[in-house]
């Protein structure tokens, strides 16, 4: 298969992996799910946006993905992992995860947020996927896949600042809402 298709496959696997961690792993439940609860995010919305959690171990995703047969090359090309002279490690370790879907529903990127207790004095609260063959931040809108039917029905769209703003609007019943990936 093409590199592009391989990247989509790896991202789809990672979305499911992060989501499963949030729902089934003791750390995912105690840390990740608790964060979403503290933001009053309901379970149906967690499902709708496939929200997840990355374990705090720096190589948890990389090790699990490689054991499942996914190549390190595509973990790095998608931005899920970073490789240096010491090896391969996870970009999002210890963060709650917001998958980005393109308009057709394919996972193109991820955003990871440090939890509130860890953000004191931290410069980068959010870490996002780098641009890649399948993701160009200036061309994507967070929540577009989930909002496209409501946008067509309402013939308008609201642009908000970030992930949790999109999610909060969906919880209130306003679904024609997206966020850009810039500041």
């Amino acid at each position: 298969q093409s590199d592009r298709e391989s990247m989509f496959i790896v991202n789809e696997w990672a979305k499911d992996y992060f989501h499963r961690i949030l729902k089934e792993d003791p750390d995912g439940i105690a840390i990740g799910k608790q964060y979403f609860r503290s933001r009053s995010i309901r379970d149906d919305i967690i499902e709708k946006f496939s929200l997840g959690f990355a374990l705090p171990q720096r190589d948890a995703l990389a090790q699990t993905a490689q054991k499942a047969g996914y190549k390190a090359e595509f973990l790095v090309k998608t931005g899920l992992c970073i490789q240096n002279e010491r090896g391969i490690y996870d970009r999002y370790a210890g963060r709650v995860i917001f998958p980005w879907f393109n308009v057709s529903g394919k996972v193109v990127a991820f955003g990871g947020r440090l939890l509130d207790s860890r953000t004191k004095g931290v410069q980068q609260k959010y870490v996002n996927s780098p641009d890649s063959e399948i993701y160009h931040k200036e061309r994507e809108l967070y929540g577009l896949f989930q909002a496209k039917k409501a946008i067509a029905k309402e013939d308008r769209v609201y642009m908000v600042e970030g992930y949790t703003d999109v999610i909060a609007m969906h919880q209130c019943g306003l679904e024609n809402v997206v966020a850009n990936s810039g500041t």
Side-chain angles (χ1 to χ4, degrees):
Q1 294 185 349
S2 72
D3 282 6
R4 213 174 140 70
E5 190 58 31
S6 295
M7 292 170 75
F8 283 125
I9 290 167
V10 167
N11 275 352
E12 183 69 22
W13 175 86
K15 173 200 53 109
D16 293 341
Y17 168 81
F18 291 135
H19 191 63
R20 189 174 54 255
I21 295 294
L22 179 74
K23 291 171 51 174
E24 298 174 6
D25 186 272
D27 281 346
I29 295 165
I31 302 168
K33 202 148 196 185
Q34 180 54 40
Y35 169 79
F36 290 126
R37 291 280 179 266
S38 76
R39 300 295 301 257
S40 301
I41 298 173
R42 299 186 316 249
D43 286 344
D44 63 313
I45 299 297
I46 288 172
E47 292 299 319
K48 183 176 190 175
F49 287 88
S50 298
L51 303 178
F53 181 69
L55 293 170
Q57 295 82 3
R58 293 296 300 172
D59 65 349
L61 175 127
Q63 293 295 323
T64 305
Q66 289 177 314
K67 283 179 188 163
Y70 296 96
K71 294 180 182 176
E73 169 191 0
F74 296 111
L75 296 172
V76 173
K77 280 185 174 183
T78 57
L80 287 163
C81 295
I82 299 167
Q83 191 164 24
N84 63 22
E85 63 281 347
R86 292 179 302 210
I88 185 169
Y89 62 95
D90 301 354
R91 180 179 302 273
Y92 304 107
R95 295 173 185 263
V96 290
I97 302 296
F98 299 86
W100 282 68
F101 297 86
N102 67 12
V103 71
S104 62
K106 289 187 174 185
V107 181
V108 293
F110 297 90
R113 186 192 193 285
L114 278 178
L115 306 180
D116 291 334
S117 62
R118 293 179 49 204
T119 59
K120 290 254 192 262
V122 171
Q123 290 179 355
Q124 253 191 327
K125 196 184 317 185
Y126 284 93
V127 171
N128 299 305
S129 294
D131 278 359
S132 72
E133 192 174 334
I134 62 172
Y135 173 68
H136 302 282
K137 72 179 183 178
E138 71 276 1
R139 294 187 208 154
E140 301 293 340
L141 294 169
Y142 180 77
L144 182 60
F145 177 69
Q146 293 87 346
K148 68 182 180 179
K149 286 180 186 169
I151 292 168
K153 181 181 174 194
E154 300 293 328
D155 194 28
R156 75 179 58 191
V157 61
Y158 296 101
M159 175 84 66
V160 295
E161 185 181 5
Y163 311 131
T164 55
D165 301 317
V166 169
I167 289 167
M169 299 293 275
H170 274 256
Q171 283 200 157
C172 294
L174 265 172
E175 295 184 343
N176 53 332
V177 181
V178 297
N180 67 9
S181 58
T183 52

